[in-house]
Amino acid sequence: MIMVVGATGNVGAPLVQILAAAGEKVTAVSRRIAEAPPGVQARQGDLADLAFDGVTALFLMVPPDFRGALEPVLERARDAGVERVVLLSSQGVGTGRHPDGHERAVRGSGLQWTVLRPGGFASNAFQWAESVRTGRTIAAPFAEVTLPVIDPADIAAVAAAALVDAAQAGQTYVLTGPAPISPREQAAAIGEALGEPVRFVEQTREEARAVLTGFMPPEIAESTLDILGAPTAEEQRVSPDVERVLGRPPRRFAEWAEHNAVVFK
């Protein structure tokens, strides 16, 4: 049995689909009840009070508002018979922008572990959906700064491989898209997927901060703006790890936009 924590998220949802399609037994855990594929057991719950009876492998997405220690959760998992854990971390841990506490807990858990460090998600473009639907406009800062954003479905595919293949244990994978792309280029790709132009408006950092602090803490907003506006060479580098695990290159942003065009119509 594989348990997916965060099963309704941008990575968790496609991960559940991939595992179910492969015939794996899956328990999908989320804070809200959602429909699950046939044969998948859906559970509502929080990370702090999960039971792991019958689970052998665990996909772990730690919610941003989780304030407890991860070690007791992993200890309960190990005592219940869980053998393997795959942690969704972030590239920012490797570049020093984010704390490494969750990764240290997983590596010290006594379980087989794999750590996934994705860069920016292509699905962050969903924040523009309303303005695209109503005005065919996207507003974002740092118009020409490029980052190799990744399709969350590719993260899910790597996670699925790590959950079922013991050979992936002990690995830390940096996951990116196939090429850096700027916000202006993302807007053009969304327009191409829709078959009509999408106008791009460049925000100032202050304007962008005002938007971000509407749904994230101020310190996280500042960190996000630092990455978007002044990424390091490592944050702009294309990683080979998706292709190394999956045997194919990661999907381009244009492919993600075409697949999700209905959200922007």
Side-chain angles (χ1 to χ4, degrees):
M1 174 69 72
I2 298 172
M3 177 179 282
V4 176
V5 177
T8 57
N10 288 318
V11 176
L15 174 58
V16 169
Q17 294 281 353
I18 292 168
L19 293 170
E24 300 290 342
K25 294 181 179 180
V26 181
T27 296
V29 178
S30 59
R31 288 178 169 176
R32 58 183 176 84
I33 297 176
E35 290 188 13
V40 172
Q41 178 184 356
R43 286 174 49 186
Q44 187 176 17
D46 287 313
L47 184 58
D49 55 15
L50 286 179
F52 300 99
D53 296 343
V55 176
T56 56
L58 173 66
F59 174 79
L60 192 54
M61 191 286 291
V62 182
D65 60 354
F66 179 74
R67 294 293 177 261
L70 195 56
E71 285 83 355
V73 177
L74 294 166
E75 183 177 353
R76 290 203 321 273
R78 187 185 65 240
D79 291 346
V82 175
E83 300 170 355
R84 185 176 307 155
V85 59
V86 175
L87 175 70
L88 182 63
S89 183
S90 75
Q91 187 183 35
V93 174
T95 59
R97 293 191 189 264
H98 299 153
D100 65 350
H102 296 332
E103 289 193 12
R104 285 189 286 107
V106 164
R107 291 191 176 98
S109 66
L111 300 169
Q112 298 177 27
W113 57 264
T114 306
V115 170
L116 309 182
R117 290 178 174 175
F121 286 22
S123 56
N124 289 343
F126 284 144
Q127 67 185 302
W128 302 325
E130 182 63 22
S131 66
V132 173
R133 285 194 298 264
T134 58
R136 291 297 189 255
T137 299
I138 285 173
F142 316 120
E144 314 302 339
V145 179
T146 60
L147 287 166
V149 299
I150 183 168
D151 186 334
D154 283 338
I155 304 171
V158 174
L163 286 163
V164 301
D165 182 3
Q168 308 296 340
Q171 300 296 317
T172 298
Y173 292 123
V174 176
L175 306 179
T176 72
I181 184 171
S182 70
R184 192 186 301 278
E185 291 168 333
Q186 291 180 42
I190 292 170
E192 183 71 21
L194 293 173
E196 54 185 292
V198 171
R199 186 170 68 98
F200 183 84
V201 177
E202 185 169 13
Q203 295 174 319
T204 65
R205 183 181 176 111
E206 291 69 29
E207 289 169 336
R209 183 190 297 111
V211 173
L212 292 178
T213 52
F215 58 89
M216 64 175 63
E219 65 274 13
I220 301 298
E222 288 295 340
S223 175
T224 299
L225 290 169
D226 288 343
I227 294 172
L228 294 177
T232 65
E234 177 63 19
E235 287 162 342
Q236 290 185 299
R237 184 179 71 87
V238 172
S239 169
D241 287 349
V242 170
E243 186 162 8
R244 183 178 294 153
V245 175
L246 301 181
R248 62 162 176 82
R251 298 180 183 92
R252 296 176 295 112
F253 181 86
E255 294 174 89
W256 176 89
E258 184 175 350
H259 183 73
N260 291 279
V262 65
V263 178
F264 298 94
K265 285 188 181 298

